[in-house]
Amino acid sequence: MEEYAREPCPWRIVDDCGGAFTMGVIGGGIFQAVKGFRNSPSGMNHRLRGSVTAIKTRAPMLGGNFAVWGGLFSMIDCSLVKVRGKEDPWNSITSGAMTGAILAARNGAVAMVGSAAMGGILLALIEGAGILLTRFASAQFPTGPQFEEPAPMPAPSFGDYRQYQ
């Protein structure tokens, strides 16, 4: 596989953890804004206040949950890169499965197996879609410039003055 253009592993964990926190806060903020707006008493003032209250109470927790998932996933991914010596989609799929299992460990072995299966399947779908998109995009663009061979020019005949006679 081609080499990914990503940060080296110690910084990748921090980068993925922060990115996951940001996604969780933004997505959770939007979701909680709508939920708080709908569940508040009638009146625009009450609904806006309920929306802001829901954002302030739940969005940081969702961001933290996403950060834990992203950080754990990246730590497992970096460990697999180090152990296997290569970076390929199997690392991500295995990392997703292991992350799902670890995060469900408090609920028992059956929940761990189910979460591992879901995490592995989800990451396999994501990696497969990424590979398909890469292949589709590469088929759209040729690999290099396509130039036609120019016709050979006749060699000039210096000193041949018969054409002027």
Side-chain angles (χ1 to χ4, degrees):
M1 298 246 30
E2 72 270 353
E3 186 67 27
Y4 295 116
R6 294 184 68 185
E7 295 285 331
C9 267
W11 301 112
R12 183 184 303 182
I13 297 168
V14 175
D15 188 38
D16 288 349
C17 191
F21 178 79
T22 304
M23 284 191 323
V25 167
I26 291 172
I30 293 169
F31 181 77
Q32 292 302 321
V34 171
K35 187 176 176 185
F37 189 84
R38 290 181 64 201
N39 292 335
S40 295
S42 62
M44 189 55 79
N45 205 14
H46 291 293
R47 290 187 185 265
L48 289 177
R49 193 175 314 127
S51 180
V52 169
T53 302
I55 292 170
K56 288 192 315 188
T57 56
R58 290 289 298 160
M61 284 191 281
L62 288 170
N65 290 341
F66 270 69
V68 167
W69 191 91
L72 185 59
F73 176 85
S74 290
M75 281 190 279
I76 294 170
D77 193 35
C78 286
S79 300
L80 288 173
V81 168
K82 182 70 173 172
V83 168
R84 294 184 67 220
K86 60 183 174 177
E87 191 166 350
D88 60 358
W90 288 108
N91 288 345
S92 295
I93 295 168
T94 306
S95 298
M98 291 176 72
T99 300
I102 290 169
L103 291 177
R106 294 173 66 183
N107 296 328
V110 175
M112 286 178 70
V113 170
S115 292
M118 288 305 296
I121 290 169
L122 178 67
L123 265 297
L125 290 173
I126 292 171
E127 288 292 327
I131 291 169
L132 286 176
L133 285 174
T134 302
R135 286 189 182 168
F136 179 73
S138 67
Q140 295 294 321
F141 300 106
T143 57
Q146 305 293 325
F147 295 114
E148 294 181 16
E149 290 288 324
M153 302 241 340
S157 57
F158 296 112
D160 187 17
Y161 297 107
R162 287 181 284 165
Q163 65 183 352
Y164 297 115
Q165 296 177 358

